[in-house]
Amino acid sequence: MLLQSQLPNSLALAPVLVLALTALLLLVVDSIDPDSTNSAALAGISVVGALTSLGFAGWFLSAGTGQVSTGGGISLYGEALVVDGMALFFMAIFASVTAMVAIGSYDYLRGKPHQAEFYTLVMFAATGMGLMAAANSLATAFVALELASLPSYALVAFLKKNRGSVEAGLKYFLIGAVSSAVFVFGISLVYAATGSMVFSDVAEALNGTEFVGVAGLGVLMIAGGFAFKTASVPFHFWAPEAYEGAPAPISAFLSSASKAAGFAVAFRVFTEAFALSAIPAGIDWVLLFQILAVVTMTLGNFAAATQENVKRMLAYSSIGHAGYALIGLAALSAGSAQNGNVMGASMAHLLVYGFMNTGAFLFIALTEHWDIGRRFEDFNGLGSQAPVACAAMTVFMFSLAGLPPFGGFFSKYFLFAGAIGAGFWWLAAVGAVNSALSLFYYSRVVKAIWIEDPSGEFQITSKPIGLYAAVMIAALGTLVLLPGFGPVIEMAQTAATALFA
Amino acid sequence: MVPAEWYLLLAAAVFCIGLIGILTRRNALLFLMSVELMLNAANINFVAFSYQWGNVTGQTFGLFTMALAAAEVAIGIGIILVLYRNFDDIDVTKATTMRW
């Protein structure tokens, strides 16, 4: 109550504003001292900025800003943006991932030029993601999506003398450019059918519209734009290349935060603008997401099982996880009381995923720092050399697979239980079978680390503090979410239920 | 006044030309131009239906799209430049250190 009555409404955007100001501050630092290699200061500013943003998001979430208990979402700038429980929940995810990535980048970037630009781009991308979660109009959704995408293209190609990184950046950019063109054409068709961009007005105009065909094509194309951002079928094929070639902290950033951002905006667009209760019967987007969820899960997991390269395996597993999260959109039905539970479980899964997947990619960053190869065999016997980091990696792998004592188990459990509760038992069944399959390739990493004998000598001479700290924080996050999962899932489900009200 | 359907047809045609360009061209710069065609197809819709619905939302968004298209090209040219430095070519199918 405090915030809403005493402070200006626009301060509800504080988690995003802090990220944007941090990015600008980094630019100022860079212009004062352009050739700075003082990475501690740059990483420090980024981490403090991300943590402040996380602090604001956490404070607002606990104070009830924009949530049902204090009168619902705060809409800003003529309903272009809205800050509610869901937006704040996702902003917390983005801020935590950004903080971990910034800590990990400190060691990863040692001795490389243009460090200030790197952190600036990360911060701007995080700002865009936060805005995506708050977007309440197709116009802001598109601008925010581009604000998140454009810095990401540059970040993937950041190692300009590394052919893999440049190739990854090129492919990410090409597919991104096409899918954003498809997305904006979809918006133009929806605008043609409804004459509006604000979600609530679009929903109103769609109710009983005579332009079902045009609107339907528009909805389909907008879904395509989100499929790119979340790395789901049919716009998934950039992901293995981009994640493999990109600097590992950026792979972590893209596969966790960027994916969650895609889901954040998709959740809001499809519940508010294309609400099931208002949309003409001919536009059955739930069926579309059911197909996409099943295909994405299956394709991601099967492709991951055939990989020999750990980073690429993680990339495909990240496609598989996009499939699980899609259940949050696929298991909906008009007027069902279960809708909020399923979508909330999907949000909680994205939070847990944010920690465990970021951690797994940062572990890869650690091995790249040590010049260990990328194949499974190269990891043989690593456990005896770096037991602490490897224990953390084991936690990530088992959590990603969804084994019982870890955070990933609870989020998947609630997700599948929600799908069954909503009457989509077959979605849960496909998800469970895929999870069982995923255990195969995740346990290969664990087996290589702990059981296999080393095939060669490791040259582990340095102990990169930043990367170690980031991996540990991610592991801690995955583990703390065990006892803390009750409040998290409750918060997520309340926030999601508010969308359907 | 030209009926609205014709604008939809024109936009769809421009969009498809862009899409075909993307599928057939291997030169990265021509690829960028094709994307530009697709974005401008959306702009045709925005402007035409802005007039049709009698509000300026669409026209304003058309300006947004142009600005973002320019930003996208700036990033794209940068990436194409480093592509040329690393692979001595701007053929998008030549960059295959990883599997495509």
Side-chain angles (χ1 to χ4, degrees), chain A residues 86-445:
Chain A
M86 190 195 78
L88 291 169
F89 187 88
F90 275 105
M91 285 173 195
I93 301 181
F94 306 145
S96 0
V97 173
T98 310
M100 287 186 283
V101 167
I103 297 173
S105 304
Y106 165 68
D107 288 305
Y108 196 87
L109 290 179
R110 183 165 294 167
K112 294 198 172 66
H114 309 302
Q115 296 192 0
E117 285 85 345
F118 181 91
Y119 290 110
T120 311
L121 288 171
V122 168
M123 286 295 152
F124 274 129
T127 311
M129 290 168 193
L131 284 177
M132 278 167 83
N136 194 36
S137 131
L138 290 169
T140 32
F142 177 62
V143 175
L145 191 135
E146 289 295 294
L147 178 56
S149 295
L150 295 180
S152 313
Y153 303 146
L155 283 170
V156 170
F158 184 76
L159 309 170
K160 356 183 238 188
K161 299 210 167 85
N162 176 324
R163 295 180 79 160
S165 173
V166 170
E167 180 190 343
L170 174 78
K171 288 173 179 174
Y172 187 31
F173 169 74
L174 292 180
I175 297 167
V178 174
S179 71
S180 73
V182 169
F183 184 67
V184 77
F185 196 74
I187 294 178
S188 82
L189 290 180
V190 169
Y191 176 72
T194 62
S196 181
M197 299 258 182
V198 177
F199 291 167
S200 51
D201 297 345
V202 169
E204 209 171 292
L206 275 179
N207 199 355
T209 178
E210 48 186 317
F211 310 112
V212 179
V214 173
L217 195 58
V219 172
L220 189 68
M221 291 175 116
I222 288 175
F226 293 140
F228 162 73
K229 205 69 198 146
T230 57
S232 353
V233 174
F235 286 109
H236 65 283
F237 37 87
W238 58 272
E241 313 290 334
Y243 296 167
E244 187 187 343
I250 294 308
S251 312
F253 188 56
L254 290 184
S255 61
S256 311
S258 184
K259 188 186 294 280
F263 277 110
V265 67
F267 286 168
R268 198 185 294 283
V269 168
F270 282 94
T271 53
E272 302 267 316
F274 310 140
L276 282 171
S277 48
I279 202 139
I283 308 174
D284 190 357
W285 55 260
V286 172
L287 178 68
L288 173 74
F289 281 118
Q290 285 166 354
I291 298 169
L292 288 188
V294 170
V295 176
T296 307
M297 276 189 254
T298 316
L299 189 140
N301 281 303
F302 271 89
T306 61
Q307 298 304 317
E308 285 306 316
N309 177 324
V310 180
K311 207 175 175 189
R312 210 174 164 87
M313 178 278 280
L314 281 175
Y316 277 109
S317 102
S318 136
I319 297 177
H321 277 272
Y324 301 138
L326 272 176
I327 292 180
L329 279 170
L332 304 179
S333 42
S336 161
Q338 294 292 323
N339 286 352
N341 288 345
V342 180
M343 192 171 278
S346 183
M347 283 162 58
H349 184 64
L350 286 167
L351 173 71
V352 179
Y353 181 73
F355 281 99
M356 57 193 184
N357 188 59
T358 308
F361 271 108
L362 287 174
F363 178 82
I364 302 292
L366 192 60
T367 62
E368 282 180 5
H369 185 85
W370 287 329
D371 278 331
I372 296 170
R374 287 176 173 182
R375 288 169 309 141
F376 284 95
E377 302 93 275
D378 297 324
F379 284 32
N380 283 356
L382 194 57
S384 56
Q385 302 287 318
V388 184
C390 287
M393 184 62 171
T394 313
V395 170
F396 302 140
M397 287 295 110
F398 284 151
S399 184
L400 279 166
L403 280 192
F406 299 104
F409 168 73
F410 289 102
S411 58
K412 269 190 196 168
Y413 171 78
F414 276 99
L415 191 57
F416 296 158
I420 293 170
F424 294 93
W425 59 268
W426 54 273
L427 270 174
V430 175
V433 169
N434 272 301
S435 295
L437 172 68
S438 71
L439 187 58
F440 160 71
Y441 56 80
Y442 289 129
S443 57
R444 272 181 76 188
V445 178

Side-chain angles (χ1 to χ4, degrees), chain A residues 138-140 142-143 146-147 150-151 153-154 157 159-171 173-178 180-182 184-185 187-189 191-197 211 214 221 237-238 240-242 244-245 307-308 312 374, chain B residues 5 8 11-12 15 19 22 28 31-32 35 38-39 41-43 45-51 53-59 61 64-65 68-69 71-73 75-77 79-80 82-88 91-100:
Chain A
L138 290 169
T140 32
F142 177 62
V143 175
E146 289 295 294
L147 178 56
L150 295 180
Y153 303 146
L159 309 170
K160 356 183 238 188
K161 299 210 167 85
N162 176 324
R163 295 180 79 160
S165 173
V166 170
E167 180 190 343
L170 174 78
K171 288 173 179 174
F173 169 74
L174 292 180
I175 297 167
V178 174
S180 73
V182 169
V184 77
F185 196 74
I187 294 178
S188 82
L189 290 180
Y191 176 72
T194 62
S196 181
M197 299 258 182
F211 310 112
V214 173
M221 291 175 116
F237 37 87
W238 58 272
E241 313 290 334
E244 187 187 343
Q307 298 304 317
E308 285 306 316
R312 210 174 164 87
R374 287 176 173 182
Chain B
E5 295 83 38
L8 271 182
F15 186 82
L19 196 61
I22 281 165
F31 193 100
L32 272 185
V35 170
M38 291 167 76
L39 287 168
N43 278 345
N45 271 344
F46 281 127
V47 174
F49 283 91
S50 187
Y51 183 65
W53 289 104
N55 60 32
V56 289
T57 316
Q59 292 192 21
F61 193 65
F64 279 37
T65 318
L68 283 169
E72 203 165 73
V73 166
I75 296 270
I77 298 280
I79 291 179
I80 291 170
V82 285
L83 176 79
Y84 183 75
R85 285 187 189 152
N86 278 280
F87 294 89
D88 287 325
D91 184 333
V92 293
T93 56
K94 286 278 169 62
T96 47
T97 6
M98 295 170 286
R99 277 169 294 171
W100 182 215

